């Protein structure tokens, strides 16, 4: 099978950018199928650091990048990212779905206003307009990338949409102008810049599969932020799990080959919502500092805790994960003891699966397995180069999940990675 899907198994920020970069070596196409510029992927090549939010990270390798219909695109961010890559001499082979939805300025304002109104119940969104844009898509009042190529279409859509936005602005007391003419002018201009990249990307990918090309699907966020299976309502608004590829890129399920689940060696979360293994002690602080756990997109500090295999097991089940990639193992170096959560108790009973109600997630009691820690290690090139305690940690993860570990990442650089052939 010529396709691989890479997904995050936790709350995002698992280090997907680096692993996608690694897997895209063999791919001709690298495809984003959900999310928008709420994501942030960091790729380090030699001394160069690239931070991407919407352009698929595989383009750094000179691959064909596809932004699928399931994504929401802020064209201002996209054009800036395109310019940054061009300025840095990265050849850009980019294809944008004409069906992807456009994040408009009113989406960003409404995202902020809705959060304000939620008060202490806020989600902690990235305020990039993601939720309001997906809401409009589902409510069938969105603007799609293809609409930016036709003045008539764009004007028609905006004339239909803006009256209700004006009402919302007044309810939320947003004192910003909303004029059809201004938006048409600004967004048609952007449409002109984007036009060379706009395509029916489902057709493009169908041809790629027919031609036996290798395709890599690059997930953004992580399973616990999936709108159906995550810690709802503290989730994002898209389908983050591997099944999201089908609707978000226009690809049949029979085209999905292997599914790589990225597992950070501990757990992090940004934004609000419960996280059962969160540590607010010295160890949590150590993980945050050593792991540089500050958001690529919002610079917010990430909450840190022990690896939670209830979470990762849930992700493996939902996405049919066939291989694991463990990231940031080195961040655990130097700890005296390390723990892994292997189950949850709720009201004295052991749970079989991850609870659907957020109230239950907030009060579950994690059950831990404790392991001896290990000292710093020098760039390991195989499993055998790791301290025996780190090997035990990994082999426990593998046997608990029943999924083989294929890649281990022990630092941010490309060469701080080794592969386990199984
Ligand atoms: P939104 O996607 O901006 O609506 O934010 C919803 C929730 O998802 C918030 O808790 C965000 O912090 C979280 N979130 C969104 N994108 C990412 C990501 O790429 N990594 C980690 N968390 C994210």
């Amino acid at each position: 099978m010529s396709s691989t899907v890479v997904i995050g198994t936790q709350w995002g920020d698992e280090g997907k950018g680096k692993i996608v970069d690694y897997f895209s070596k063999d791919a001709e196409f690298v495809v984003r199928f959900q999310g928008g510029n709420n994501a942030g992927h960091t790729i380090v090549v030699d001394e160069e650091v690239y931070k991407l939010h919407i352009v698929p990270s595989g383009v750094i390798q000179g691959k064909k990048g596809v932004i699928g219909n399931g994504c929401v695109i802020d064209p201002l961010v996209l054009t800036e990212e395109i310019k940054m890559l061009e300025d840095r001499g990265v050849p850009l082979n980019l294809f944008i779905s004409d069906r992807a939805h456009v994040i408009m300025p009113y989406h960003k304002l409404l995202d902020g206003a809705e959060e304000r109104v939620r008060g202490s119940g806020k989600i902690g969104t990235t305020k990039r307009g993601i939720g309001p844009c997906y809401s409009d898509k589902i409510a069938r009042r969105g603007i799609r990338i293809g609409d930016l190529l036709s003045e008539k279409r764009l004007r028609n859509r905006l004339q239909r949409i803006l009256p209700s936005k004006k009402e919302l602005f007044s309810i939320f007391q947003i004192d910003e102008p909303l004029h059809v003419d201004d938006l048409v002018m600004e967004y048609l201009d952007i449409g002109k810049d984007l036009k060379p990249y706009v395509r029916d990307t489902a057709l493009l990918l169908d041809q790629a599969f027919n031609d036996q090309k290798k395709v890599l699907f690059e997930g953004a966020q992580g399973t616990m932020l999936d709108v159906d299976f995550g810690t709802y309502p503290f989730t994002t608004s898209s389908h983050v799990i591997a099944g999201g590829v089908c609707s978000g890129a226009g690809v049949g399920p029979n085209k999905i080959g292997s599914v790589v689940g990225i597992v950070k060696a501990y757990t992090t979360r940004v934004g609000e919502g419960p996280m059962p293994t969160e540590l607010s002690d010295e160890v949590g602080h150590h993980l945050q500092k050593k792991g540089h756990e500050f958001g690529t997109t919002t610079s917010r500090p990430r909450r840190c805790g022990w690896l939670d295999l209830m979470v990762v097991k849930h992700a493996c089940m939902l996405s049919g994960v066939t291989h694991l990639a463990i990231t940031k193992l080195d961040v655990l170096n130097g700890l005296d003891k390390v723990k892994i959560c292997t189950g949850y108790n709720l009201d004295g009973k052991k749970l079989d699966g991850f609870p659907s109600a957020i109230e239950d997630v907030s009060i579950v009691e994690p059950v831990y397995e404790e392991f001896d820690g290990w000292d710093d290690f020098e760039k390991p090139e195989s499993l055998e180069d790791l301290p025996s305690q780190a090997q035990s940690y990994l082999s426990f993860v593998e046997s608990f999940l029943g999924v083989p570990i294929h890649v281990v990442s022990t630092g941010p650089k490309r060469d701080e990675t080794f592969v386990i052939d199984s």
Side-chain angles (χ1 to χ4, degrees):
M1 179 60 69
S2 55
S3 88
T4 302
V5 182
V6 175
I7 56 123
T9 62
Q10 294 152 313
W11 274 279
D13 309 313
E14 294 92 353
K16 288 184 292 295
K18 176 178 167 179
I19 302 296
V20 166
D21 179 61
Y22 172 80
F23 278 101
S24 53
K25 274 195 319 276
D26 304 324
E28 186 157 339
F29 288 83
V30 180
V31 184
R32 283 272 312 258
F33 57 94
Q34 47 74 225
N37 60 305
N38 47 349
H41 292 167
T42 305
I43 305 109
V44 183
V45 185
D46 302 325
E47 295 311 308
E48 291 279 312
V49 180
Y50 297 90
K51 288 185 190 272
L52 294 175
H53 298 283
I54 182 67
V55 170
S57 31
V59 298
I60 305 291
Q61 297 253 24
K63 305 297 171 175
K64 296 185 174 108
V66 177
I67 306 179
N69 58 281
C71 295
V72 288
I73 300 176
D74 184 335
L76 304 174
V77 174
L78 176 58
T79 45
E80 235 173 65
E81 227 161 76
I82 290 174
K83 184 166 179 316
M84 179 274 289
L85 290 167
E86 281 173 352
D87 288 350
R88 291 175 73 175
V90 177
L92 202 58
N93 245 321
L94 185 65
F95 305 91
I96 305 166
S97 168
D98 49 2
R99 291 181 169 90
H101 277 249
V102 179
I103 300 176
M104 298 296 286
Y106 48 80
H107 289 135
K108 290 181 261 189
L109 291 164
L110 288 168
D111 200 355
E114 284 175 16
E115 279 287 84
R116 198 183 65 235
V117 169
R118 285 184 197 115
S120 61
K122 71 177 186 205
I123 295 169
T125 74
T126 57
K127 300 207 180 119
R128 302 297 195 261
I130 306 295
C133 184
Y134 275 115
S135 307
D136 275 356
K137 167 178 171 168
I138 301 303
R140 292 149 298 178
R141 51 168 184 250
I143 305 273
R144 306 202 288 183
I145 287 288
D147 299 331
L148 305 186
L149 309 184
S150 150
E151 174 166 359
K152 188 166 165 227
R153 257 159 53 190
L154 183 59
R155 187 172 292 281
N156 276 343
R157 307 263 193 275
L158 284 168
Q159 275 167 346
R160 207 162 48 85
I161 294 164
L162 288 200
S164 63
K165 298 299 170 206
K166 283 185 181 155
E167 301 251 350
L168 281 174
F169 272 29
S170 134
I171 292 167
F172 285 115
Q173 296 172 346
I174 302 172
D175 190 18
E176 292 285 338
L178 258 186
H179 298 301
V180 172
D181 284 342
D182 293 351
L183 286 176
V184 168
M185 227 163 51
E186 186 182 0
Y187 280 80
L188 269 184
D189 249 7
I190 298 175
K192 278 191 200 120
D193 290 342
L194 294 181
K195 192 171 175 197
Y197 307 108
V198 178
R199 292 276 190 300
D200 180 337
T201 51
L203 216 52
L204 179 84
L205 289 175
D206 188 50
Q207 192 58 51
F209 280 115
N210 290 339
D211 295 343
Q212 314 292 324
K213 305 286 186 205
K214 285 203 185 309
V215 181
L216 182 76
F217 295 97
E218 167 179 0
Q221 289 86 45
T223 304
M224 299 317 295
L225 294 171
D226 184 274
V227 67
D228 275 307
F229 290 102
T231 41
Y232 188 86
F234 297 96
T235 60
T236 191
S237 305
S238 61
H239 296 288
V240 167
I241 58 175
V245 165
C246 298
S247 59
V251 164
N254 59 337
K255 296 291 192 317
I256 296 183
S258 48
V259 180
V260 179
I262 317 286
V263 185
K264 196 188 293 196
Y266 51 98
T267 307
T268 61
R269 165 161 214 180
V270 272
E272 307 300 318
M275 172 180 158
T277 63
E278 182 167 8
L279 294 166
S280 36
D281 59 4
E282 245 171 62
V283 177
H285 189 64
H286 166 98
L287 298 174
Q288 190 182 64
K289 207 160 148 233
K290 190 154 182 198
H292 307 289
E293 295 296 354
F294 298 90
T296 316
T297 302
T298 57
S299 307
R300 289 180 291 177
R302 298 177 186 142
R303 298 150 62 192
C304 297
W306 295 123
L307 176 60
D308 187 341
L309 289 186
M310 278 300 274
V311 161
V312 181
K313 198 167 94 181
H314 183 59
C316 288
M317 171 187 82
L318 296 168
S319 286
V321 169
T322 58
H323 301 81
L324 301 172
I326 308 288
T327 61
K328 297 185 120 174
L329 183 67
D330 55 304
V331 175
L332 296 178
N333 294 359
L335 291 171
D336 188 31
K337 296 279 177 196
V338 283
K339 290 187 188 178
I340 294 180
C341 167
T342 55
Y344 294 157
N345 284 332
L346 181 66
D347 298 332
K349 284 204 191 98
K350 192 168 184 289
L351 296 184
D352 291 333
F354 198 90
S356 65
I358 203 70
E359 291 79 3
D360 289 344
V361 183
S362 312
I363 56 167
V364 291
E365 288 160 25
V367 177
Y368 288 107
E369 191 88 14
E370 190 174 81
F371 297 80
D372 285 334
W374 53 88
D375 294 331
D376 277 348
F377 46 69
E378 287 292 312
K379 212 171 83 185
E381 285 173 8
S382 69
L383 203 55
E384 293 68 42
D385 290 346
L386 288 174
S388 61
Q389 301 92 325
Q391 291 185 37
S392 310
Y393 188 82
L394 293 183
S395 89
F396 182 85
V397 170
E398 195 171 57
S399 61
F400 184 91
L401 297 170
V403 181
I405 297 175
H406 183 49
V407 178
V408 180
S409 162
T410 56
K413 296 200 176 132
R414 257 186 185 170
D415 61 356
E416 291 172 310
T417 315
F418 65 85
V419 172
I420 303 168
D421 286 318
S422 44

